Amino acid sequence: MLTRLTPKMLIALAAGGSVSVLIGALIFQAIGYAPCDLCILQRWPHLAAAIIGGAMLIFSLPRIFALLGAAAAAATGVLGIYHSGVERHIFAGPDTCTSNGVGGLSVDDLMAQINGAPLIRCDEIVWDIFGITMPNLNALASFAFVALWIWAFAAAKRAA
């Protein structure tokens, strides 16, 4: 069955996967899970991959564009790993969405830090299932999409 997948089908699966992740993220947001800065940052490469895939399907772009789709999917996968590490306090997160230490701060500095803090922090796990968080799911799905994009590129190359 897998050998019957054409390059166009593989591109549609990869791009459709990115669209599905974006829709899923928007559904989670609609039911009350507001995204942090890193969550939003992970959405942009999915959007790029979806646009690349759509353009390839509509305009029959050269197979090299599949590698751009793979790069976009890999970028969001790497961001997902980074975000997961920030959530688990393995990596330091960006100052814009993580907490800073309060030792040695004056009351005025502490109030400025509280007032400047984001509403949604990147270094807190807000949802998980069996210990798997949303950034974990994004990374896993994204690297599966990378494989689909590369498979589409290789299949198109063989067909040429």
Side-chain angles (χ1 to χ4, degrees), residues 14 18 45-46 49 68-78 138-139 141-147 149:
S18 284
H46 278 299
L68 291 176
T76 191
V78 169
N138 178 57
S142 297
F143 290 122
F145 303 153
V146 169
W149 281 110

Side-chain angles (χ1 to χ4, degrees), residues 9 18-19 22 41 55-56 87 95 126-127 147:
M9 293 166 108
S18 284
V19 169
L22 288 170
L41 189 59
M56 287 185 75
E87 283 182 330
D95 290 339
V126 296
W127 180 91

Side-chain angles (χ1 to χ4, degrees), residues 58-133:
I58 293 168
F59 302 114
S60 297
L61 297 177
R63 68 178 175 261
I64 195 75
F65 281 85
L67 296 180
L68 291 176
T76 191
V78 169
L79 286 169
I81 290 171
Y82 171 66
H83 188 186
S84 182
V86 170
E87 283 182 330
R88 297 174 193 282
H89 304 284
I90 297 169
F91 309 126
D95 290 339
T96 59
C97 65
T98 56
S99 65
N100 297 320
V102 295
L105 292 179
S106 69
V107 173
D108 291 335
D109 291 339
L110 183 57
M111 285 306 293
Q113 182 176 334
I114 290 169
N115 290 330
L119 297 175
I120 308 301
R121 292 185 31 194
C122 298
D123 59 353
E124 291 182 354
I125 296 173
V126 296
W127 180 91
D128 74 348
I129 185 166
F130 308 116
I132 299 171
T133 67

